[in-house]
Amino acid sequence: MKAGIIGATGYGGVELFRLLNSHPHVKQVILFSSSNAGEEFTSIYPQMDTEQNHRLEELKPEEMKEELDVIFLATPAGVSTQLTPELLGGKAKVIDLSGDLRLKDGSAYTKWYKKESASSAILEKSAYGLPEWNKEAIQSADLIANPGCFPTAALLGLGPLVSEGIVDPSSIIIDAKTGVSGAGKNPGAITHFAHLQENFQIYKVNQHQHIPEIEQQLTEWSPETVPVTFSTHLVPMTRGIMATIYLTLKENQTLEELKSYYESCYANEPFVRLRKEGQFPGTKDVYGSNYCDIGITLDPRTNRVTVVAVIDNLMKGAASQAVQNMNLLFQYEEKTGLPDLPVYP
Amino acid sequence: MKAGIIGATGYGGVELFRLLNSHPHVKQVILFSSSNAGEEFTSIYPQMDTEQNHRLEELKPEEMKEELDVIFLATPAGVSTQLTPELLGGKAKVIDLSGDLRLKDGSAYTKWYKKESASSAILEKSAYGLPEWNKEAIQSADLIANPGCFPTAALLGLGPLVSEGIVDPSSIIIDAKTGVSGAGKNPGAITHFAHLQENFQIYKVNQHQHIPEIEQQLTEWSPETVPVTFSTHLVPMTRGIMATIYLTLKENQTLEELKSYYESCYANEPFVRLRKEGQFPGTKDVYGSNYCDIGITLDPRTNRVTVVAVIDNLMKGAASQAVQNMNLLFQYEEKTGLPDLPVYP
Amino acid sequence: MKAGIIGATGYGGVELFRLLNSHPHVKQVILFSSSNAGEEFTSIYPQMDTEQNHRLEELKPEEMKEELDVIFLATPAGVSTQLTPELLGGKAKVIDLSGDLRLKDGSAYTKWYKKESASSAILEKSAYGLPEWNKEAIQSADLIANPGCFPTAALLGLGPLVSEGIVDPSSIIIDAKTGVSGAGKNPGAITHFAHLQENFQIYKVNQHQHIPEIEQQLTEWSPETVPVTFSTHLVPMTRGIMATIYLTLKENQTLEELKSYYESCYANEPFVRLRKEGQFPGTKDVYGSNYCDIGITLDPRTNRVTVVAVIDNLMKGAASQAVQNMNLLFQYEEKTGLPDLPVYP
Amino acid sequence: MKAGIIGATGYGGVELFRLLNSHPHVKQVILFSSSNAGEEFTSIYPQMDTEQNHRLEELKPEEMKEELDVIFLATPAGVSTQLTPELLGGKAKVIDLSGDLRLKDGSAYTKWYKKESASSAILEKSAYGLPEWNKEAIQSADLIANPGCFPTAALLGLGPLVSEGIVDPSSIIIDAKTGVSGAGKNPGAITHFAHLQENFQIYKVNQHQHIPEIEQQLTEWSPETVPVTFSTHLVPMTRGIMATIYLTLKENQTLEELKSYYESCYANEPFVRLRKEGQFPGTKDVYGSNYCDIGITLDPRTNRVTVVAVIDNLMKGAASQAVQNMNLLFQYEEKTGLPDLPVYP
């Protein structure tokens, strides 16, 4: 099997490369880059030196779609909108890690991303690649919209309760925290070490482009869905997302009942792990892995539920979830080529 | 003026020492430690070597209360309950940085701290040392209960709205994040660098002992107060607290109206700084200072208000707020001996 | 194949578990712990939750040596001295990650480790597990003394020049830097996050117990060896070692000549990567991998050579080198079960 | 007294602002910036909001040199070469924090900085601002070349031995480590948090522009001086420099003798602190202060001396040393306006 990565020099791309490079069913990984075509990959990432080194190739969609089995787009917003139409229709299946193809409503994309959206034909074609909730659609698709990092954590945390119809829809608050690798490889004032170290910051308050993605899936689970409150914070660390989710129930339920929804939803999901009562995961518990770890509690003083979901933003929030989707697309065992345990400490 | 610090070897104590050492009205700082009496302070903190070095003294309350002008208690929970009665009644005024004397209701203390509370006589005597809201009581007191770090941030953020009576009391959620110095100097699994680095964690969910302290003050501002949701997270950094506060209003108000409450509350407060519309502080903005920086916004999609308040937990959350209280107790200008600007970067 | 880990709850042990858990030739990993026998491994490491969970077993050397194919000791100094005699003589091969069996001279062990040494019979039996320089002895051994983290970096950096006999032996200075995970899992003042963050420290100056291990191997390469200068520094990070090595040559040589020694030494070594002229590795370049990356230069102003060698102290400096040794012991391909690429960013 | 800062928006500039803002003899601080003239300082540094806010002024050398008492240049290499001639000759004294005026030999500047040097008239005029070794020249100068961060640490560590004439000049190796704020405020690949975190790196091996500055002062102390080996490493932290210095003595001396040279050199220096035998400072011991802490030992195995000197690169390595120089220039007590204790933890 031959895999291609477009945008291989970004953080999502290099993480994809690491995973595909050791995937047992991937014979060859070909790296594409519009800005660095012709260069050795190791001239940009000397640490990615391995026996079989790679040159960054120029993008030739016509050839790529026939010669490759799967193409990953790890590109900034707007690129997939342009490229996807040219990459489809041949042999290759396409997995897009950007936000371009996630929103079924093109006008919502334009509103939140301030860019022209893909055509509705393309948007309809794409399956939302959250395997724990959309496995069938993924398995039969040619085009996957890999979920955003925040929506992955938030939705895996909210799904069992919202899909059950027991949540007061106006009560949902998602207080999210992320490591800085989510901001990408390009240096800027916000990612400068001296600024970020010892600095916990909030950003894009009520304005993050992942909001409509979260609400789209919530609406699918529950038509009562109304706008949610979603805040994003920057943690002085490289990897990891925690979504601390607050909500109230329509009617009182016990913690045991609540936990049972999670257990039945995720009983057969190899990448969701539920914590015992009174225990909550930290982001390092999933570092370098494809896991989403979840803890839940109910406060008897306020009757409010707190759900905590953590992922590695570059893995379950991007690259390893894309490989999980590839496994599903090609009928491989879902865990193939994905690490079984996180890196600790 | 002679100042004494009991518990000088903890993080709060050493920070107090640094501040008092350069306070223009403090001639002498005497350090007390029950566990290390007799040792040089620099044998524990070699970096605190200065021209006039200090030996850790044994506690002699009878003498201390006559010879010292002010005594700071920077001790673990339970110690002040024992010591305060012996320290009062002489010349010295007492500022307690622990949680022992903050709750007027001794049974609440026992419930949340799992320890015997101070006598109601002592609890009544103590003034809650949040200068921005309790200046008069502080100025005429002999005993100050210096606020907890989380309550300082949460209450300065909530005060202008709650005291105005415009907040739906059941809607308040405080999602708090802190650097690890708040956990104190004793090493443990949770403060091990290899565990904490790249690890964002949640802890004491709905169970933090600062909850009743927050609610006590909220109740003072608004009798409608009901239990709030309060979550604490550990950030891989040393100093800094951010409280991200969510609430809904009883009736719609504009952001301008909301901001005006903050402006009038804090117009004459030298240590509260309000951010311009659309701007929010990060914890590094107050690093090493006594400031509380606050940002606020209103989400038109959800009608929910978000307030962000940051402090340095060892400064405004402990030592520098204690010095601010000392300044008030002794009628010094409130900013005396406190840094005018944060350390950056 | 069945593998056992003694001391599974330490940092070396948990990293070994992660690697062995996904090693294609290891059917079963059994975890032993004297202090936590009977507990679930996930009660200590909840993040190590996988489909097949593990209980910590009691140590029964008599049974272990017959039922297991390989036993790893990831224990503090002194334990292997006691246990190894009981573990040998059966089916199991033994790989010791501690410092107990590395020094052939028992009295040197006693001097530097302040503990009784293993018997000379055991010390003679053990092969020093630095595969790049001792492959044959490893392949035919029953007992491996896995190298220390600092010696691994220092020796891989020094080997090509010292074994060539061109180095002035009295000129060697090794300025080493390590992340804090090398200090182990037990919390202490030195590993407290608030103390270590923003703190670069030097420790055990001229007194580190890895000094005799380095000198023993240098002496094997060159009988002219004299004591070296070796300094260790603690970096505010979790993983990674850099050895910056300074030396002068007996006679002038060009940088090209120097590089050619490295190239011929390591041409067939899959885990040593040499950097191009003018380039030097950082510790993150080998994060989570078994690589040792090396850069070298010659200063025309001083005629001094600088060699820079980096490893991940928990991987090539401990667990993954132990697995590399296991692969050699059992005639598996040397890279089996070891990650091909480092984790980045 | 009126002070001006040119280049106020860089890290050196903002730290100078913080110090001058609370200096008891400085009535007014005026900030200049060529790139941001006209903007509020708080639009760039919102955390520097204080009662008396500042607008960034345009540079008008003719007026500045008459109206200001002292002008600090906290500018990139090359700027002071241009500006200094225009700033001298009036009332103002000038303190240059850049490397432009430190090397008396203009051709050395051109060689190492790859820029045209200042005129020899200017270079002769400037006094090298290392107060512990050049106090008299500083006190009578109009123009100060404030030392580089690495030279400050290296020279304070080497001075007592080299000036004594007891060091083998060819043996000196300075292995230096720095936090990232030394690289300045402009973001780049090397300062990206995700790249730097968990990454200890070496850079500019044998090529750092601070080498000739160190050698110039060593030559002044000892005419036997030959080129030294000087390596710089980047530590994942914001502030702090450690210089680990290795050298051999011409003739054997005891550690007590060596220590006595330090004690007599620095007996009256308020900002140099010597550690007791067997103790060494870490960078956090001087965080936010003007101290240089020094530890020293002698290895009986190798007869090699190790000296460890630490500073805060933005303080003693830049801004606070500049203020110390200002104090000397204006006959204020040397410690005026400088913090007495470091920030810890």
Side-chain angles (χ1 to χ4, degrees), chain C residues 6-42:
Chain C
I6 301 177
T9 62
Y11 284 160
V14 71
E15 188 73 331
L16 263 175
F17 172 67
R18 183 173 71 92
L19 294 171
L20 294 173
N21 180 65
S22 64
H23 193 286
H25 298 311
V26 176
K27 287 270 149 50
Q28 205 184 342
V29 188
I30 305 176
L31 307 179
F32 300 90
S33 167
S34 49
S35 49
N36 300 93
E39 284 185 51
E40 293 283 347
F41 191 49
T42 52

Side-chain angles (χ1 to χ4, degrees), chain C residues 175 198 215 238 246 301, chain D residues 175 198 215 238 246 284 301:
Chain C
D175 188 284
E198 289 287 309
E215 291 175 353
T238 298
Y246 303 96
R301 299 172 67 253
Chain D
D175 189 284
E198 289 286 310
E215 291 175 353
T238 298
Y246 304 96
K284 201 163 194 167
R301 299 172 67 252

Side-chain angles (χ1 to χ4, degrees), chain D residues 115-129:
Chain D
K115 283 177 193 289
E116 215 179 319
S117 77
S119 71
S120 53
I122 289 284
L123 294 178
E124 268 161 42
K125 243 180 154 46
S126 80
Y128 188 60

Side-chain angles (χ1 to χ4, degrees), chain C residues 328-344:
Chain C
L328 292 171
L329 279 176
F330 292 86
Q331 272 79 52
Y332 304 139
E333 205 278 318
E334 199 168 346
K335 297 175 70 172
T336 311
L338 294 171
D340 193 41
L341 291 171
V343 177
Y344 183 88

